[in-house]
């Protein structure tokens, strides 16, 4: 299908990147709010983990089925709606006075977030100028990674000057972005019917290399997700200021953004298993250094940055590998690597909060993340030994 120049433009690509920045920025407000909500409602570490798990279950596990539907139906209207409504609800946690209302708002905002990524991702190849598809995709992904990375730090600064109830005023930004999306006509797109094979459940669960890869990336996600949830709580428990806790979290997330971009560039020149194993090695070594200190020293900042670099650096090659394992199912494979595996990570991270209630978060993170990363590494080695490249 040939698209006219008014349908494809870099302005539309940048608009999608801005939308991705906005969606992921508000997606990551909750970790900063967890210490405040814990004090307000008397939550324990495990209860904070459960609250975040509620959000991530709705935000992660629905992406794959939504992606399958979006390939066949025009769900474009959910792009602006998810940005506006999802972000508004994320800001509304500051005015919650009921635990039930808090859980409902967190759950619904997660559902709206799950619509954004598969729908917005489907727009990128549609609006990208011919020959610039890879460049356009990079712009789109970087927007989300940067938004997710800077959200904790900027939100902490905002909360230094304003009460949590005033967080709702930040909702003006997604309203403006929603107007931009409508002006760029990024709310509907034609669906090109494909004759690609439809995957069956049996085909998925009997594909042992794909299942093993999914398990490995899911185990890796335990390390990533537990840090996203518990870093602010860990630093708060050490008596450090919220800005310091948010700065260390932002450093981790900037590492993930840069790692995913840089390591992804090597996927055509270095064998995929080697890239993933190299990323895992960086994560394990840097996490050893970080968890021995976990303070506001330069070494802690450097080590957590490298850990983030390695953790998310495995994602782009894993996506490519999964797509090769499931021919004609690129959207589904991508959704599993970007949605389902992170859902696994957030669910299992609840056990870290439970253990942290008894022995402290620093030890709990140590006891969970290293066995998870070592098992993840073993799974990749076993797949590589089957000569599946």
């Amino acid at each position: 299908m040939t698209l006219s120049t008014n349908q494809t433009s870099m302005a539309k690509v940048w608009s999608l990147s801005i939308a991705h920045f906005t969606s992921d920025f508000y997606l990551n407000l909750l970790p900063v709010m967890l210490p405040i909500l814990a004090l307000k409602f008397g939550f324990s570490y495990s209860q904070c983990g459960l609250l975040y798990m509620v959000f991530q279950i709705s935000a992660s596990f629905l992406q794959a089925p939504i992606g399958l539907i979006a390939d066949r139906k025009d769900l474009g209207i959910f792009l602006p709606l998810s940005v506006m409504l999802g972000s508004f609800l994320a800001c509304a946690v500051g005015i919650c006075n009921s635990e039930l209302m808090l859980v409902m708002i967190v759950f619904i905002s997660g559902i709206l977030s799950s619509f954004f990524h598969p729908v917005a991702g489907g727009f990128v190849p549609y609006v990208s100028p011919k020959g610039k598809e890879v460049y356009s995709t990079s712009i789109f992904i970087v927007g989300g990674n940067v938004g997710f990375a800077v959200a904790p730090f900027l939100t902490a600064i905002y909360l230094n000057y304003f009460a949590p109830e005033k967080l709702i005023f930040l909702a003006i930004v997604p309203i403006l972005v929603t107007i931009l999306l409508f002006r760029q006509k990024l709310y509907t797109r034609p669906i090109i019917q494909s004759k690609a094979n439809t995957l069956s459940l049996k085909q998925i669960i009997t594909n042992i290399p794909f299942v093993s890869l999914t398990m490995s990336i899911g185990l890796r996600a335990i390390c990533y997700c537990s840090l996203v949830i518990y870093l602010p709580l860990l630093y708060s428990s050490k008596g450090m200021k919220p800005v310091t806790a948010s700065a260390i979290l932002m450093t981790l997330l900037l590492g993930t953004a840069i790692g995913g971009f840089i390591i992804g560039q090597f996927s055509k020149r270095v064998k995929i298993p080697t890239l993933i194993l190299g990323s895992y090695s960086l994560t394990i070594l840097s996490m050893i250094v970080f968890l021995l200190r976990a303070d506001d020293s330069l070494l802690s900042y450097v080590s957590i940055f490298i850990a983030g670099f390695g953790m998310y650096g495995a994602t782009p090659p894993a996506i490519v590998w999964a797509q090769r394992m499931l021919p004609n199912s690129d959207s589904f494979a991508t959704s599993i690597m970007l949605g389902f595996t992170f859902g696994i990570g957030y669910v299992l991270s609840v056990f870290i909060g439970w253990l942290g209630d008894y022995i402290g978060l620093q030890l709990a993170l140590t006891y969970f993340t290293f066995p998870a990363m070592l098992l993840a590494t073993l799974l990749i080695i076993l797949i590589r030994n089957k000569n599946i490249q």
Side-chain angles (χ1 to χ4, degrees), residues 27 30 51-60 106-107 109-110 113:
L27 175 71
L30 188 56
L51 180 64
Y52 203 73
M53 183 187 73
V54 167
F55 174 74
Q56 285 298 335
I57 284 176
S58 59
S60 301
V106 167
F107 181 72
S109 64
S113 173

Side-chain angles (χ1 to χ4, degrees), residues 80-99:
L81 289 182
S82 63
V83 171
M84 183 174 67
L85 297 179
S87 301
F88 175 81
L89 288 176
C91 293
V93 299
I95 60 175
C96 282
N97 291 316
S98 161
E99 294 179 11

